[in-house]
Amino acid sequence: MSKKTITKFSIFVISAMAAAGCGYVSSSEIAVAPNSRFGPPTVVGKIRSKEITESSGLAASRCQSDVLWTHNDSGDDAFIFALNTKGETLGTWKVEGAKNADWEDIAAFKDKAGKCFIYIGEVGNNKLKRPEHLIYRVAEPIVKPDDARSSRTEPIATNLAESVRFTYPDFDQDAETLLVHPHTGTIYVVTKRVSGPAGVYRVKADFGSADASKAESVGELSVPAIPNGFLTGGDISPDGRHLIVCDYTRAYEYELPQSSAEFDDIWRQVPTPIELGARKVGESICYSIDGSSVFATSEGASSPVIEVQLK
């Protein structure tokens, strides 16, 4: 979230809801559905790097075990950071050919040839004055033991990033959730709304094209919270049949019915709430490399690394 705060408009709306007796629903006010696949949250570590003060996105590598990727929100340069699942620093990389105006989420993808990539969503738009948005794609760096010595002042350079530009088909929007389907490579952006359900848009993977494509509206997401579309991060499970999104306090998992062959059927399902415990400003969440657990972090220095395992 840009500038570390909710926008003035968001504060106004949420304050109005609270005054009307329907304020923000905290994670302690709604019992987790009994059919949740996950157990209770556990703090398994904390982010050690002093360079990571706003962990705005989180992704588990699909090629390297025990490697999580994160980045700061707006105000930082084009850096990505590797951590292990205890939050210990593994290295700092500068994404070549990229800029960070308002990075909001990150995703990991492994193609059919076995090559792994990092996708970065330049999709933040709190003031609604950016009609065009970017998604970067860069080959995932291979983390080596000595890389932990790198830093923002002496980063390791990634390969040159590719980018795809897009606009929304209806109206300009703010977004903090980037999703990449693990089997098809289809890119989705989920918007962040205070006035209703979050919008889901499919973005063409035309990396390197000089022209901006128009995203396609494919659905909406509504979670059991107020506001119901104020989503701040998400991920698609490695098996491609589950989706997790989060707001500032908790997570919500969607499951594709066994009878569905089309992933886009998932937007019409009812989510199951998942408790994440205490988070200062929760904006980042991802599945583990094998889908057996979920990891979440928070904005703020020394953020806890939270794990929720399958039952």
Side-chain angles (χ1 to χ4, degrees), residues 2-195:
S2 179
K3 297 184 180 179
K4 308 179 185 179
T5 58
I6 305 173
T7 63
K8 292 182 180 180
F9 176 68
S10 302
I11 293 173
F12 171 78
V13 173
I14 293 169
S15 297
M17 290 177 174
C22 55
Y24 235 122
V25 178
S26 72
S27 58
S28 62
E29 293 175 318
I30 303 178
V32 172
N35 61 339
S36 172
R37 301 192 306 137
F38 293 90
T42 302
V43 176
V44 293
K46 70 176 183 178
I47 294 179
R48 307 292 178 85
S49 172
K50 295 180 179 179
E51 298 181 333
I52 304 171
T53 57
E54 294 184 83
S55 180
S56 186
L58 193 67
S61 170
R62 298 297 188 256
C63 282
Q64 303 174 89
S65 62
D66 199 28
V67 174
L68 301 177
W69 293 96
T70 190
H71 58 86
N72 284 319
D73 207 327
S74 60
D76 199 7
D77 207 335
F79 295 111
I80 55 175
F81 306 91
L83 314 168
N84 63 22
T85 52
K86 294 181 180 179
E88 297 168 335
T89 302
L90 300 180
T92 300
W93 281 260
K94 179 74 175 294
V95 182
E96 293 295 296
K99 294 182 180 179
N100 181 354
D102 196 358
W103 288 7
E104 290 292 357
D105 205 3
I106 191 170
F109 175 68
K110 184 177 182 179
D111 70 13
K112 293 180 180 179
K115 186 175 181 179
C116 278
F117 295 89
I118 298 295
Y119 288 64
I120 304 162
E122 175 65 274
V123 294
N125 188 23
N126 279 344
K127 296 182 179 180
L128 302 180
K129 293 183 177 180
R130 302 177 62 205
E132 192 172 286
H133 308 276
L134 282 167
I135 295 170
Y136 292 108
R137 181 178 69 180
V138 64
E140 180 181 337
I142 302 300
V143 178
K144 303 179 180 64
D146 288 344
D147 292 342
R149 300 175 183 175
S150 58
S151 65
R152 291 176 61 195
T153 56
E154 295 184 7
I156 307 166
T158 69
N159 290 345
L160 186 65
E162 302 174 287
S163 65
V164 59
R165 298 156 54 212
F166 73 95
T167 60
Y168 292 102
D170 34 31
F171 54 94
D172 201 16
Q173 303 188 61
D174 185 25
E176 296 194 8
T177 303
L178 173 68
L179 309 169
V180 180
H181 194 279
H183 301 157
T184 65
T186 303
I187 302 170
Y188 298 94
V189 172
V190 181
T191 63
K192 178 184 178 185
R193 292 180 184 165
V194 295
S195 58

Side-chain angles (χ1 to χ4, degrees), residues 239-304:
D239 66 5
R241 302 198 66 86
H242 299 85
L243 163 74
I244 196 161
V245 293
C246 69
D247 56 19
Y248 288 147
T249 58
R250 64 211 309 253
Y252 311 87
E253 189 181 48
Y254 293 76
E255 184 171 359
L256 190 67
Q258 288 298 322
S259 59
S260 294
E262 296 294 330
F263 181 75
D264 283 339
D265 290 342
I266 204 166
W267 315 121
R268 296 189 293 272
Q269 306 311 309
V270 177
T272 301
I274 298 173
E275 298 298 341
L276 296 176
R279 295 196 298 168
K280 184 177 180 180
V281 181
E283 293 203 6
S284 48
I285 194 164
C286 70
Y287 287 99
S288 63
I289 188 173
D290 60 0
S292 65
S293 62
V294 166
F295 291 100
T297 58
S298 173
E299 290 198 353
S302 301
S303 162

